[in-house]
Amino acid sequence: MPDTHGGSADAGTATGDIPRPDTSRPVAAPSEGGSLSAEARADERRFQLYTVAVLTFGLVAAGAVSAWLPFQGSVHLWWIGPLLALAFLGAEQLGVNVDVRSGISWTISFTEIPLVIGLLVAPFEVVLAAHVVAGVTTLLARRVTGRVLYNAGAFLLEVTSAFAVAGLVKQALGSVEDMPWLAALAGTLTAPLASTLLAMAAVRVLRRRMRVGTVVRLAGRILVVGFVNASVGLTGYLVISKTPEAWPIVLAVSLGLAALYWAYSDLLREQRDMEALTDVSLMVARSGQQAAARPAGKAGDVDVDIDIDVDEWTTIAERIRDQLAAARVVLRLRLDPEQPMRTVVVGDDLAAGYDTELDADDPLLRLPGAHVRHLRVTEANPQIRAALLRRGASEALVVPLRSANQLLGIIEAYDRLSRWRGFGKYDVQLLGTMASHLATALDNRRLLATLRHDAYHDPLTGLLNRPGFRQVAAEPLREHANSVVLRVDLDVFSTVSDALGYTWADRMLMAAGKRMRDTLGAGVPLARLEGASFAVLLADCDAERAQEIAQRLREQLSAPYPVDRLTVEANSVVGYVLTTAEENAERVDVDSLLQRADMAVRATRGGEEIKSYVPSMGQIFLRRFQMVTQFRQAIEEGQVTVHYQPKVTLPDKQVLGVEALVRWQHPEFGRVNPDEFVPAVEAAGLVGVLTSFVLDAALDRVRRWLDDGLRISVAVNLSVRNLADAEFPARVAEALERFGVPGELLTLELTESDVMQDPERALPILRELSDLGIELAVDDFGTGYSSLAYLRQLPVDQVKIDKSFVFGMGTDLGDLAVVRSIVELGHSLGLTVVAEGVEEDLARDQLEAMGCDVAQGYLISRPLSEDRLEAWLQARTARSLDPASEPVLTLLT
């Protein structure tokens, strides 16, 4: 017989138990006054009207059948009636409950056996009274008080339809006295079909959905099982009536049939348990996929959390409740360790005064392990009993959801429905498996949320990173054509890192990020791009407001930073770019806007700390990009050449050597200053190409001088990137060998800051170069922060005084003192001292008086091309023999 159970507290019966309206509530608090929703109350009223109709129709039909089939008394009715009532009652208690679908179950109750026998041995009124008394007694014993009238009407219609069909078949067969077995079988089969039709009608009244295919399959099963039950009862009656001593065989067959039904129900239960597990797993998986598809987060998101959709988790809780046939299921999810559990409740009304936000010391929330507990009021300890009574429940299944190291949540199922015995071992196994799946799914979602957060957020400040800013900013830029992207750089970061270490620099960055967030508010997208660079998106903003916000940010960021017991003075620069209405917002690229804002930052010079991007800035960077991409081609086409600036000794004015300086005559840009293209070439990783080109040209020049009988050395400038290349000394050695130039005629110059940037790494490279006989010089000495201890360790042969000090010697006593100190320091270390930037006779005379070894500058000569250098040598120098009888060139005065 069909049993459609839902949110009610009643148990399934042979005639079909119809659910009261669903009272599932996806909230964590009882409804006001414990009352049903308006929709639920409307469903309840419709069902009450349906109950009255069923009961009325049952009474009328019973009266009509009683009038049609006159009562035939017998002396045996005094024991046949009670015996039939006991048989109906036993059939109800031995029923096998088979779950069909969510909210629908099918009870194999064996009532067809006493019914078919009653059709053969008793009049209509006796069978009707026995069936109604047994059914109502069963409902009352199971405390099913809300559906007694409906079930009583269903009992009446079952027996009435059975006798009506049996009577019609009997008339068709022409039988007058006894009820033919065929008529009894047909009438018995009518009873479960009538009950099924009533149950399906009740489902429609309650506005529940049930597929036609499910109804057809259910009716087919009911008909088959009813036929088997009726056949067994009919066969047993006929056998015993003819051969009374055969009753043990009939009993054995009946018990075997019951065992088959139990086995069949177990198979169906296992099948539906697997379906339920699959459904729950798919629900959680779909929920996780939807969460993964959501944007990276709002502008101010810094937490790692699993977004919870109440409807999704309510559906999962309802599926668990339907499978367990529980009166109530509570899901408690701890999605954030710092926040209380979120609660989802589905099922019957909560006990009056029950609060779903329980204290942390509630005994059901402190269960250890991860296995299912089956708790009963009658068997629990006082604390558990009090917790169950507080929840208005007599029994519960409770299982914690745990990951490897933390509690993720709890599942609680209360009061089994439609079962006489309550929750069983299958329910415990099913809930345990579901809990394991849910715990794994929740843990995976937390891991996914953590990975997504880490992918889109800066781990130090908790702000968005570049990919996160790109994703968060895309939609506002599409929606608001007039927006602003700001880039903010702290220009003290590297100094703090070098002086105090990265730990204190990181603390400064965190403080700066917090100041910016406090200034902008939580709703503005803010990101740390890299280093000490931040980005801000101001949606729907004009230039005036952008300037105002940029000024506020600068004021906040430029305030001193307390670092330990120190106070670090800071400065910041801001560049910003505006999108305009003319710009197609759909095509705005966040990266290009950040690049423009970066150009504006780079354009801040001379005390102007806030700069707005203008198109001319883009032309500058486009020019640099073109130069980098065209550099190799420029070398091949002869656009890049090497010029030479002579160096002479003091005081004898002999031409000691030349410094090789690169020049680029661009066909579009004209003469390009080395200060412009060399940094760009270095940043693009082409410094090796540049160094090789200059080195080959310089060594070729030296080789030709050697062929002319002159020993003039050449100096080539190196980049810090050359010192990071372990293969560089080998390439220099190969070039010396290829041109046949001795190492002492090559000088490699490195700036003081380049050498000291990573002296531990540079030292082995410099030693290899020194072993080749190459002269090593420290350029721009005095402008950096050299350590004398490191300078003593480096295999340096020369120091070059920076031209800024040489320029100021004539007017600034401080510069004069610095130059004198460098000369004395260099000589004390056994180094040759070279002064560059010598442009006046006074400077030359002062250097000569100090004992400076070599001078270089415009006073002697500007950098010259090869042809002009040869002309200069012929015009300004005279060849003579030095004491070693080697030709030398002496500068003519």
Side-chain angles (χ1 to χ4, degrees):
M1 304 281 179
D3 172 23
T4 55
H5 58 80
S8 59
D10 45 354
T13 69
T15 57
D17 171 28
I18 306 303
R20 76 180 176 184
D22 189 8
T23 61
S24 303
R25 289 171 291 108
V27 293
S31 59
E32 183 179 356
S35 60
L36 302 179
S37 64
E39 183 179 355
R41 288 194 297 270
D43 289 344
E44 183 67 24
R45 285 193 295 270
R46 279 193 298 273
F47 185 76
Q48 289 173 354
L49 294 176
Y50 177 70
T51 298
V52 172
V54 170
L55 184 59
T56 302
F57 184 65
L59 292 172
V60 172
V65 172
S66 178
W68 177 45
L69 300 174
F71 180 80
Q72 295 178 356
S74 172
V75 295
H76 302 290
L77 292 180
W78 67 272
W79 61 268
I80 290 178
L83 188 60
L84 281 175
L86 290 175
F88 278 115
L89 188 62
E92 296 284 1
Q93 303 308 317
L94 294 176
V96 179
N97 193 32
V98 179
D99 295 315
V100 178
R101 290 187 68 82
S102 175
I104 305 295
S105 65
W106 168 35
T107 300
I108 304 174
S109 63
F110 305 105
T111 54
E112 292 87 358
I113 295 176
L115 180 58
V116 72
I117 296 175
L119 284 167
L120 294 172
V121 301
F124 166 71
E125 290 80 2
V126 174
V127 177
L128 179 64
H131 189 29
V132 172
V133 169
V136 172
T137 301
T138 300
L139 293 174
L140 295 177
R142 295 180 180 178
R143 295 176 296 176
V144 182
T145 58
R147 297 291 179 261
V148 172
L149 293 180
Y150 162 77
N151 285 307
F155 297 149
L156 290 173
L157 289 174
E158 286 178 9
V159 177
T160 300
S161 62
F163 271 87
V165 172
L168 293 175
V169 175
K170 179 180 178 182
Q171 289 181 359
L173 295 175
S175 176
V176 179
E177 297 180 358
D178 296 333
M179 176 73 71
W181 66 267
L182 184 58
L185 180 62
T188 303
L189 294 178
T190 306
L193 291 177
S195 177
T196 301
L197 292 175
L198 291 174
M200 295 303 101
V203 170
R204 297 298 299 174
V205 168
L206 292 174
R207 296 188 296 183
R208 302 287 185 83
R209 292 183 177 181
M210 194 170 181
R211 296 179 180 177
V212 176
T214 303
V215 175
V216 173
R217 286 194 299 272
L218 181 59
R221 290 177 181 177
I222 290 172
L223 191 61
V224 171
V225 173
F227 176 77
V228 173
N229 288 343
S231 298
V232 169
L234 182 61
T235 302
Y237 171 77
L238 294 177
V239 170
I240 294 175
S241 64
K242 300 295 183 181
T243 310
E245 60 273 15
W247 67 267
I249 297 178
V250 174
L251 179 62
V253 171
S254 300
L255 293 177
L257 178 64
L260 287 176
Y261 283 154
W262 278 109
Y264 180 56
S265 70
D266 287 343
L267 288 176
L268 291 181
R269 173 61 188 263
E270 291 178 3
Q271 177 185 355
R272 187 163 182 264
D273 286 350
M274 291 299 297
E275 292 177 354
L277 285 173
T278 302
D279 289 347
V280 171
S281 298
L282 289 176
M283 290 175 189
V284 177
R286 283 193 295 267
S287 176
Q289 291 170 357
Q290 293 170 359
R294 296 187 182 110
K298 297 179 180 178
D301 283 348
V302 295
D303 61 330
V304 181
D305 197 359
I306 305 175
D307 294 330
I308 176 171
D309 189 319
V310 174
D311 292 336
E312 293 173 359
W313 289 100
T314 299
T315 303
I316 293 172
E318 287 176 342
R319 189 68 177 92
I320 296 174
R321 184 199 62 170
D322 290 342
Q323 185 63 24
L324 297 177
R328 184 196 320 140
V329 166
V330 181
L331 281 183
R332 306 183 192 277
L333 305 175
R334 176 166 287 165
L335 306 179
D336 185 350
E338 304 298 328
Q339 300 295 328
M341 288 187 176
R342 303 183 187 181
T343 306
V344 175
V345 182
V346 296
D348 64 357
D349 292 331
L350 301 177
Y354 174 66
D355 185 6
T356 55
E357 299 297 335
L358 301 174
D359 298 332
D361 58 352
D362 185 271
L364 298 190
L365 303 184
R366 294 187 292 106
L367 296 174
H371 59 281
V372 182
R373 270 74 165 196
H374 189 183
L375 309 173
R376 299 182 181 88
V377 170
T378 56
E379 302 174 4
N381 61 49
Q383 290 183 339
I384 298 295
R385 184 183 301 111
L388 292 177
L389 292 175
R390 182 184 175 196
R391 291 164 168 82
S394 59
E395 68 169 338
L397 296 180
V398 182
V399 55
L401 304 176
R402 296 187 183 276
S403 66
N405 54 6
Q406 65 179 343
L407 179 67
L408 301 175
I410 297 174
I411 303 178
E412 305 168 27
Y414 297 104
D415 294 335
R416 170 80 171 171
L417 299 176
S418 302
R419 290 294 180 93
W420 177 253
R421 58 180 172 82
F423 293 117
K425 66 175 183 178
Y426 290 113
D427 302 310
V428 174
Q429 293 174 358
L430 175 64
L431 187 59
T433 306
M434 283 185 170
S436 177
H437 285 209
L438 280 175
T440 301
L442 285 172
D443 203 26
N444 289 341
R445 288 189 63 180
R446 174 171 290 280
L447 175 61
L448 176 62
T450 301
L451 293 175
R452 291 184 69 248
H453 181 276
D454 292 346
Y456 292 111
H457 290 77
D458 173 52
L460 178 64
T461 62
L463 303 174
L464 296 168
N465 57 15
R466 184 181 290 270
F469 185 80
R470 184 186 300 118
Q471 188 178 59
V472 170
E475 185 175 351
L477 285 173
R478 286 194 297 267
E479 293 178 352
H480 305 285
N482 297 317
S483 299
V484 176
V485 173
L486 291 90
R487 181 181 173 110
V488 183
D489 282 10
L490 294 177
D491 59 4
V492 76
F493 175 70
S494 59
T495 304
V496 174
S497 299
D498 295 337
L500 302 178
Y502 285 101
T503 300
W504 298 112
D506 289 345
R507 294 183 182 180
M508 180 178 171
L509 283 179
M510 289 188 287
K514 185 177 185 304
R515 290 184 184 183
M516 295 183 70
R517 172 56 66 208
D518 293 341
T519 302
L520 297 169
V524 177
L526 171 62
R528 179 196 174 202
L529 301 178
E530 62 273 326
S533 297
F534 298 85
V536 180
L537 172 65
L538 303 176
D540 194 17
C541 178
D542 55 20
E544 183 178 352
R545 182 165 171 264
Q547 184 77 17
E548 176 187 348
I549 293 176
Q551 185 62 42
R552 282 165 43 202
L553 287 174
R554 273 211 70 256
E555 292 173 358
Q556 292 295 325
L557 294 176
S558 299
Y561 291 81
V563 179
D564 197 8
R565 285 169 290 184
L566 303 175
T567 299
V568 179
E569 297 291 335
N571 188 30
S572 61
V573 292
V574 181
Y576 63 90
V577 56
L578 290 82
T579 63
T580 62
E582 291 75 19
E583 226 173 344
N584 187 346
E586 290 293 336
R587 296 183 180 179
V588 169
D589 180 22
V590 179
D591 288 327
S592 66
L593 292 175
L594 288 173
Q595 184 181 23
R596 297 177 196 174
D598 180 53
M599 295 178 191
V601 167
R602 294 172 183 267
T604 54
R605 294 290 186 272
E608 189 178 13
E609 288 86 4
I610 301 175
K611 197 80 171 179
S612 174
Y613 171 82
V614 292
S616 59
M617 297 177 184
Q619 296 300 321
I620 296 174
F621 283 86
L622 178 61
R623 169 174 166 142
R624 292 180 183 175
F625 176 78
Q626 289 177 333
M627 287 190 296
V628 169
T629 56
Q630 297 170 3
F631 183 71
R632 288 182 182 271
Q633 181 181 358
I635 291 179
E636 295 173 358
E637 295 179 353
Q639 300 174 21
V640 180
T641 58
V642 177
H643 286 208
Y644 302 92
Q645 186 173 33
K647 297 187 291 184
V648 299
T649 60
L650 296 176
D652 52 13
K653 300 184 181 66
Q654 291 182 358
V655 177
L656 177 69
V658 295
E659 180 178 0
L661 301 170
V662 67
R663 295 293 185 264
W664 187 355
Q665 185 69 30
H666 195 281
E668 180 181 353
F669 305 136
R671 178 173 293 181
V672 183
N673 194 304
D675 291 339
E676 180 181 0
F677 73 83
V678 171
V681 168
E682 288 184 340
L686 297 175
V687 69
V689 176
L690 175 60
T691 302
S692 297
F693 169 75
V694 176
L695 184 62
D696 287 352
L699 292 179
D700 179 67
R701 178 67 270 176
V702 173
R703 177 69 263 171
R704 282 181 282 155
W705 279 328
L706 288 173
D707 294 341
D708 290 340
L710 296 174
R711 291 180 62 86
I712 300 177
S713 68
V714 64
V716 175
N717 291 283
L718 297 185
S719 166
V720 66
R721 295 179 183 267
N722 296 126
L723 297 182
D725 184 2
E727 302 299 324
F728 180 69
R731 287 197 292 272
V732 174
E734 185 275 332
L736 290 172
E737 183 178 358
R738 177 158 38 93
F739 288 99
V741 175
E744 61 267 19
L745 293 182
L746 174 63
T747 302
L748 298 180
E749 297 184 0
L750 305 101
T751 64
E752 183 183 5
S753 57
D754 285 348
V755 174
M756 301 311 301
Q757 184 170 333
D758 191 355
E760 297 293 342
R761 187 173 184 178
L763 185 60
I765 304 295
L766 295 177
R767 284 176 177 169
E768 289 187 52
L769 294 172
S770 180
D771 292 341
L772 296 174
I774 297 172
E775 295 273 323
L776 298 178
V778 177
D779 198 6
D780 299 337
F781 192 81
T783 59
Y785 44 87
S786 296
S787 165
L788 291 180
Y790 273 117
L791 189 61
R792 291 180 59 190
Q793 296 178 25
L794 296 175
V796 176
D797 303 290
Q798 302 177 13
V799 291
K800 296 186 70 175
I801 305 173
D802 186 70
K803 58 186 177 183
S804 61
F805 298 114
V806 177
F807 288 157
M809 283 193 310
T811 57
D812 192 326
L813 294 178
D815 288 344
L816 183 64
V818 169
V819 172
R820 180 178 288 108
S821 299
I822 295 175
V823 172
E824 294 175 355
L825 174 63
H827 288 164
S828 67
L829 295 175
L831 304 177
T832 300
V833 180
V834 180
E836 57 182 353
V838 180
E839 297 185 358
E840 298 177 353
D841 292 332
L842 176 62
R844 181 198 58 196
D845 295 340
Q846 289 176 322
L847 290 169
E848 184 176 341
M850 295 176 191
C852 182
D853 303 301
V854 180
Q856 174 184 352
Y858 283 5
L859 179 65
I860 302 166
S861 174
R862 294 174 177 271
L864 303 171
S865 64
E866 278 199 50
D867 296 339
R868 295 185 62 188
L869 176 64
E870 288 298 320
W872 182 87
L873 291 174
Q874 292 179 8
R876 297 294 306 277
T877 64
R879 179 176 296 201
S880 61
L881 295 177
D882 67 356
S885 298
E886 292 181 353
V888 297
L889 296 177
T890 304
L891 185 66
L892 299 174
T893 57

